[in-house]
Amino acid sequence: MVVTLTGCAHLYKTQIHDVVYLTDDQFDKNSDLNGDLQVISVGGKEYVLNAGHYKNLKAIRSKVIPLTDKRMQFALVDSDLHTVLLLSRNGTNYVAMSFNFLNLFGDDEDSLAAAMSHQYAHIVIGDDADVQDSREINYFLTKEIVSTGVSLFATAAGGYGAGAAIDQAKRIQDGKIEDQVNPMAIDWLTKAGYTPCGYLKMKNVMEKNSAVSSALTYLFTHPGIDDRVKLSNDYLKANNMQCGCIESIANSNLVKKSGSIQK
């Protein structure tokens, strides 16, 4: 039942077909890697991590992790969506991204650092994968029970109103978490030598592609992108910086670089 509820609460997780959990050894022992990195998923499937994407992930991992005392582990997911999320495995939290997301943003280190730092900040404040899953399940259960109860003993309109009120309460709760995470992530990525321009680039890609690529619409469901853009612009203005061309990232029709190995 919990699996079913988790699927309802986390629709994007039902779109995950396979997962590759990257290990410390794959980063530590491949420091001189000149080519692509071949990896095996939990499902036993072979995938390839493009050398450029690998290099950027390795750089972000080495620059951001020293800023806190929390581990940053990465995972790659085979998903229909362009998604970034947290996964938990054997008590370890992983900052995960889909190959679709990686192929779209993986060549731009600022964008990749922005996405990774944001998820990493969730882990550091204690809002990790297990906490998020528990919160989503509780939200789903509460909404279903309250909405159904009001509908049965009052009116359908009352049930709808009760559900809407719970949705609003969740948005407020999520907003408070994002208010804590957003400035922390920007502080880390700038201290690590990156710029917050990645958030502006992601927003630009989302706006240009969401109408024609339903897979990109998920990125709009995660709260706070507009707030992150505002904080980024505030930082850039305060430090007399400019992002240059935020439209430099290609659209979603690009040729795959990282992903499954076709046989």
Side-chain angles (χ1 to χ4, degrees):
M1 181 177 181
V2 172
V3 174
T4 302
L5 291 175
T6 302
C8 293
H10 279 307
L11 179 59
Y12 58 89
K13 288 190 175 179
T14 68
Q15 305 297 318
I16 294 177
H17 309 302
D18 211 343
V19 184
V20 175
Y21 292 100
L22 299 175
T23 67
D24 290 333
D25 285 345
Q26 285 171 319
F27 283 101
D28 297 338
K29 293 182 179 180
N30 290 284
S31 57
D32 296 324
L33 185 69
N34 292 317
D36 297 339
L37 177 67
Q38 292 192 9
V39 292
I40 306 296
S41 71
V42 294
K45 190 175 179 180
E46 293 183 345
Y47 291 84
V48 63
L49 178 60
N50 169 269
H53 297 167
Y54 168 84
K55 174 178 173 292
N56 286 341
L57 287 177
K58 184 180 176 69
I60 293 165
R61 195 171 182 265
S62 65
K63 293 176 183 177
V64 176
I65 288 179
L67 299 177
T68 80
D69 60 353
K70 295 286 186 180
R71 295 182 69 197
M72 180 191 281
Q73 301 296 106
F74 287 161
L76 305 172
V77 298
D78 184 356
S79 171
D80 298 329
L81 303 180
H82 295 69
T83 185
V84 181
L85 69 157
L86 295 179
L87 295 176
S88 176
R89 187 192 193 203
N90 298 328
T92 298
N93 274 272
Y94 289 80
V95 177
M97 74 209 81
S98 67
F99 285 105
N100 281 333
F101 182 93
L102 190 60
N103 283 324
L104 195 57
F105 297 104
D107 289 331
D108 187 84
E109 205 168 331
D110 276 343
S111 295
L112 209 55
M116 298 299 95
S117 295
H118 179 81
Q119 295 298 328
Y120 189 38
H122 275 280
I123 295 175
V124 170
I125 70 167
D127 189 44
D128 59 26
D130 292 332
V131 171
Q132 289 182 8
D133 284 346
S134 178
R135 183 168 66 246
E136 292 295 330
I137 292 171
N138 289 334
Y139 155 72
F140 178 81
L141 281 172
T142 301
K143 183 176 179 180
E144 288 300 302
I145 292 171
V146 172
S147 298
T148 301
V150 172
S151 297
L152 287 175
F153 296 102
T155 65
Y160 177 82
I166 294 172
D167 286 341
Q168 178 60 19
K170 182 178 184 299
R171 281 191 290 270
I172 292 174
Q173 181 185 34
D174 288 344
K176 289 180 179 179
I177 294 172
E178 295 302 309
D179 287 344
Q180 184 177 356
V181 167
N182 290 339
M184 183 181 295
I186 290 179
D187 181 57
W188 285 343
L189 70 90
T190 53
K191 285 181 178 177
Y194 299 106
T195 76
C197 295
Y199 291 123
L200 277 66
K201 292 177 181 179
M202 282 191 284
K203 178 71 179 296
N204 178 68
V205 172
M206 288 157 55
E207 289 177 340
K208 286 185 176 299
N209 290 276
S210 61
V212 295
S213 175
S214 59
L216 273 171
T217 59
Y218 163 69
L219 291 176
F220 277 124
T221 68
H222 187 73
I225 184 62
D226 289 335
D227 292 336
R228 290 193 285 279
V229 167
K230 181 181 183 303
L231 287 174
S232 298
N233 283 324
D234 290 344
Y235 176 89
L236 293 167
K237 182 177 181 180
N239 290 274
N240 195 29
M241 297 171 58
Q242 293 183 343
C243 286
C245 182
I246 64 171
E247 299 184 0
S248 58
I249 297 177
N251 63 30
S252 59
N253 296 320
L254 50 73
V255 177
K256 283 179 116 178
K257 293 183 178 180
S258 295
S260 61
I261 297 177
Q262 303 297 326
K263 291 188 176 181

